[in-house]
Amino acid sequence: MKCTRCRKTQAAVDLPSHHSAFCPECFFVFFRRQVEEGIRNFSLLSPGDRVLVCVSGGKDSLVLWDVLMELGYDTEGLYIDLGIEGYSSRSREKVQSYAGTRGKEPIVVDLHAEGVPIPLAAKSIRKEECSVCGKVKRYFFNRVAAERGFTAVATGHNLDDEAARLLGNLLHWDRDYLSRQHPLLPGAGEGLVRKVKPLWRVSELETAAYGFLKGIDYVIEECPMSEHATSLVYKDALSLIEEKMPGTRRKFYQGFLEESRRWKEEGADEENAAALPGACAVCGAPTYAEVCSFCRLKSRVTNPGDVLKTFYGFQGRS
Ligand SMILES: [Zn+2]
Ligand SMILES: [Zn+2]
C-alpha cells in the first residue's frame, strides 16, 4: 500500500481509524499535527511555557518529551524512582540514556531517599499500589514544578489511557472524577501548577509507532505492580470494540469532552468550581485539607504512631 499523503513511498503505519496509511516521514508530520491540535484545542501550552515533562522510561512519556522538544517547547524531564526492585533501575537507565541523546540531564526524585518507596508505602497503608503511586507521583510533579519555576507539568497519557479512565469513571458513575477528567487541569494560586496531557488525541498504537520509527529506546515491561490494575481491563474492552468499529475510542472520548464543555457552560459544575487551595501545615504544598494527602501518607509510612494521626480524619483533596 502506498502512503495516503505523499502517494510515493510505501506506507509503514496503517491507521484504520483515520482511513489513512503513512510512510515514516508523513507519519511524523501527522503525529506532530495531532499533538499540536490537541494542545491548541484547549490551550494546553503556549510558546513561553517552561514545561516539566514527567518521564517514566515507558514509550508514552519519552515520545511526549521528544515531540514537545521537536515542537520547540522549553522542556526538562522529571524521573521519579519508585523504588521497585529491578524495574526502577531499568526504567531509570532508559530515561537517562534517552535524555543523553538530546543533551539533557533528567531531574530525579528518589522515593527511597524520600522515605516512601511505593512497595513499602502500599503495604503500610494497605491500599492498591497504583493508587498510592499515582498520589505520590502527582505530589512530586507539582512540588518539583513549583520549586523550580516551571509553568506547566506534562504527562504522557494518550487517548487509550484517557478513554479507559473515562469508561471506568462511567461504570462507577463517579461524578467527582468525571468532572475533573480533562486534558487540562488549570493551576491555582502560587503553588498549584497547570497540568496538561498533550498526547490526548493520539492512540497508544500511534505513540508506539512514533517511538519505534524514531528509534526511541524505552522500557517495554509494564510496572510489575500494575499487573492487576483495573485500567487494563477497561483498555482491553475498548480495544475489542475498536477492532470491530475503528474510530469508536476517539468518538467516545471526544464526545465526552464536548459534553463536559456544555455542562460547564450550563453551570452544572458550579458546585465544583475550585476554591483556592491553602498550604499544607507540614510541607507547604497546596491542599484543600489541613495537611496534604502526601504528608499524611508519609507519616503513616515512616512513623505509624505519629501525632499527625489526629489529621487522618480530614477529608479533602490535595
Ligand atoms: Zn508519505
Ligand atoms: Zn504536605
Side-chain angles (χ1 to χ4, degrees), residues 3 6 23 26:
C3 169
C6 66
C23 70
C26 293

Side-chain angles (χ1 to χ4, degrees), residues 209-223:
Y210 182 94
F212 175 75
L213 293 170
K214 274 264 180 163
I216 296 173
D217 185 24
Y218 54 83
V219 59
I220 293 165
E221 63 192 301
E222 295 283 341
C223 170

Side-chain angles (χ1 to χ4, degrees), residues 85-104:
E85 213 185 319
Y87 173 76
S88 285
S89 56
R90 286 192 290 277
S91 50
R92 185 170 179 163
E93 245 165 60
K94 298 289 183 192
V95 169
Q96 267 158 342
S97 75
Y98 171 79
T101 65
R102 299 294 188 276
K104 298 265 190 188

Side-chain angles (χ1 to χ4, degrees), residues 7-311:
R7 301 187 189 283
K8 280 184 242 148
T9 320
Q10 197 66 23
V13 190
D14 186 21
L15 301 177
S17 70
H18 290 278
H19 309 290
S20 307
F22 296 115
C23 70
E25 279 316 306
C26 293
F27 176 69
F28 292 145
V29 173
F30 162 84
F31 190 88
R32 277 194 299 265
R33 281 194 186 150
Q34 286 292 320
V35 177
E36 280 182 297
E37 201 170 330
I39 291 173
R40 198 170 43 233
N41 285 156
F42 297 109
S43 308
L44 301 185
L45 297 171
S46 52
D49 271 321
R50 280 196 73 217
V51 189
L52 183 65
V53 184
C54 306
V55 281
S56 66
K59 69 176 181 318
D60 301 301
S61 54
L62 290 180
V63 164
L64 171 66
W65 198 7
D66 194 84
V67 72
L68 288 181
M69 280 193 270
E70 289 230 340
L71 292 173
Y73 287 99
D74 177 8
T75 64
E76 295 298 333
L78 168 64
Y79 175 74
I80 297 185
D81 190 318
L82 305 174
I84 298 170
E85 213 185 319
Y87 173 76
S88 285
S89 56
R90 286 192 290 277
S91 50
R92 185 170 179 163
E93 245 165 60
K94 298 289 183 192
V95 169
Q96 267 158 342
S97 75
Y98 171 79
T101 65
R102 299 294 188 276
K104 298 265 190 188
E105 180 67 44
I107 301 164
V108 174
V109 170
D110 187 337
L111 293 188
H112 260 301
E114 298 289 341
V116 282
I118 297 303
L120 174 68
K123 211 190 285 167
S124 323
I125 65 164
R126 287 191 218 100
K127 279 231 170 102
E128 205 206 0
E129 286 91 353
C130 292
S131 77
V132 174
C133 184
K135 176 183 295 207
V136 172
K137 282 197 286 195
R138 281 192 297 276
Y139 174 82
F140 283 103
F141 292 165
N142 188 71
R143 183 162 124 187
V144 171
E147 280 173 0
R148 298 185 182 227
F150 288 91
T151 53
V153 173
T155 55
H157 298 92
N158 59 41
L159 178 65
D160 296 35
D161 298 321
E162 292 306 294
R165 187 170 154 210
L166 174 58
L167 181 60
N169 287 341
L170 283 173
L171 287 174
H172 296 106
W173 285 113
D174 198 318
R175 205 189 142 135
D176 201 32
Y177 283 161
L178 279 167
S179 74
R180 272 181 290 160
Q181 183 174 358
H182 200 272
L184 168 72
L185 291 178
E190 284 281 288
L192 200 57
V193 182
R194 178 185 356 134
K195 281 181 62 191
V196 298
K197 297 172 181 170
L199 299 186
W200 71 270
R201 284 181 68 96
V202 292
S203 71
E204 194 148 310
L205 186 137
E206 289 155 11
T207 312
Y210 182 94
F212 175 75
L213 293 170
K214 274 264 180 163
I216 296 173
D217 185 24
Y218 54 83
V219 59
I220 293 165
E221 63 192 301
E222 295 283 341
C223 170
M225 311 210 100
S226 74
E227 219 179 305
H228 303 292
T230 45
S231 62
L232 298 178
V233 180
Y234 302 141
K235 255 188 196 179
D236 286 348
L238 286 169
S239 294
L240 199 69
I241 301 172
E242 181 72 24
E243 207 181 299
K244 304 270 182 204
M245 298 179 280
T248 305
R249 187 185 272 122
R250 172 168 290 103
K251 264 187 250 162
F252 177 53
Y253 186 56
Q254 289 193 346
F256 163 72
L257 292 177
E258 259 307 295
E259 280 299 319
S260 73
R261 185 180 56 84
R262 231 169 281 141
W263 297 334
K264 276 173 193 155
E265 278 171 6
E266 286 163 10
D269 265 10
E270 250 163 53
E271 72 224 67
N272 286 320
L276 279 184
C280 167
V282 178
C283 76
T287 176
Y288 292 92
E290 183 82 29
V291 171
C292 81
S293 62
F294 172 78
C295 287
R296 280 179 279 151
L297 168 79
K298 185 172 173 176
S299 86
R300 285 170 74 173
V301 175
T302 50
N303 16 249
D306 200 279
V307 59
L308 281 173
K309 257 187 181 159
T310 41
F311 292 116

